[in-house]
Amino acid sequence: MKKLSLILFGLVAATCKVFSQDTTALYNAGTKAVLIAKQFSFTEGPAVDKKGNVFFTDQPNNKIWKYSTDGKLSVFMDSAGRSNGMDFDSKGNLISCADGKNELWSISPKGKIEVLLTGYKGQIFNGPNDVWVRPDGGLYITDPYYQRDYWTHKKPELDGQKLYYLPKGKHEAVMVDDKFVRPNGIVGTADGKHLFVADIGDNKTYRYDINKDGSLTNKMLFVAMGSDGMTIDELGNIYLTGKGVTIFNPKGEKIGHIDIDEPWTANICFSGKNRDVLFITASKAVYTFQMKVKGTN
């Protein structure tokens, strides 16, 4: 019995060691999230520019904020179209899911707005929620339906909540997957070969292969967990949000969790001059978390 206990103890210890090694490769033990500010109504959509500055939204207050690499907060845009999820394109334009009028915007570094999309086949979108810009400039957009108090309509025009793709230089979206309850968070790999999309309504996150024409194949369940927003590090680990930040390796195995002392963690990106600081939008606050690895966004 004693020998069996020692064997079991050894197995448990070995398992804990593996988990610890995976986690400590990402960040130092004891690292805590650092509160940057708590002056907002609901923060979302963090996106990082080429210099490492972060732009994020305070959607209820209709603003886009900037958090610079030197730690300064400033308002980048008022009347920001109720922007939600965002991402940067290669030219430095901020691509925004502006669900004030259910549109997709491109915002120049000087704040000039270009409306890229207003809907699909003549019907307005449900409310573009999150966007990922692939390396060639094509855009993937999740379009769930969340009734907003600033809308005049009370039901969607489109049938279903779907995933769309906008090829670079085109003005009409292509529907690439309609099998969701409520799609939300989205991110792709730096090489443009794989896409991850969370179905927060069904508590699942899927992985796809991306074809050159933007179509998606080989859809597979990545993890049985949904996500509001997500990001990827240089090792291929996926960071999902909701109750804090949960980290999965490329095989879909949970390898870590970062506690955030807020009711909800909405979104995340890597930031800073070295892209090794997580920037986390969580309810009325924003946080940072120092990492050992870098992001690919």
Side-chain angles (χ1 to χ4, degrees), residues 255-266:
I255 59 173
H257 183 83
I258 299 170
D259 290 324
I260 303 296
D261 189 21
E262 299 293 343
W264 186 252
T265 301

Side-chain angles (χ1 to χ4, degrees), residues 27 39 70-71 76 110-111 115 119 132 135 144 188 221 245 248 277 279:
Y27 52 85
Q39 63 193 60
D70 59 4
F76 170 70
K110 294 183 179 181
V115 178
W132 178 68
L221 179 66
V245 179
F248 296 87
V277 178
F279 186 91

Side-chain angles (χ1 to χ4, degrees), residues 76-91:
F76 170 70
M77 178 177 284
D78 281 308
S79 301
R82 303 285 184 170
S83 290
N84 198 334
M86 303 189 296
D87 196 9
F88 275 96
D89 68 14
S90 61
K91 295 181 179 179

Side-chain angles (χ1 to χ4, degrees), residues 43 55 73 111 113-114 117 126 130-131 146 159 188 210:
T43 56
F55 293 72
L73 272 172
I113 298 167
E114 178 187 357
L117 289 173
N126 294 321
D130 210 350
V131 58
Y146 293 95
D159 178 22
I210 301 175

Side-chain angles (χ1 to χ4, degrees), residues 166-184:
L166 179 64
K168 182 180 179 180
K170 301 296 183 181
H171 303 286
E172 292 185 9
V174 179
M175 192 273 292
V176 287
D177 194 354
D178 61 354
K179 301 297 189 294
F180 296 101
V181 177
R182 180 174 281 174
N184 200 306

Side-chain angles (χ1 to χ4, degrees), residues 230-249:
M230 60 180 82
T231 193
I232 301 178
D233 69 25
E234 60 188 340
L235 303 179
N237 301 309
I238 313 296
Y239 297 63
L240 305 187
T241 61
K243 294 297 183 180
V245 179
T246 307
I247 308 169
F248 296 87
N249 68 19

Side-chain angles (χ1 to χ4, degrees), residues 1 20-21 53-54 129 179 195 207 234 236 264 293-294:
M1 187 69 178
S20 176
Q21 285 176 338
N53 305 302
V54 179
N129 184 276
K179 301 297 189 294
L195 185 71
R207 178 184 181 274
E234 60 188 340
W264 186 252
V293 293
K294 298 180 180 181

Side-chain angles (χ1 to χ4, degrees), residues 32-39 262 282 284-288:
K32 302 292 184 182
V34 177
L35 176 65
I36 299 303
K38 198 169 186 176
Q39 63 193 60
E262 299 293 343
K284 297 181 178 182
V286 291
Y287 291 80
T288 58

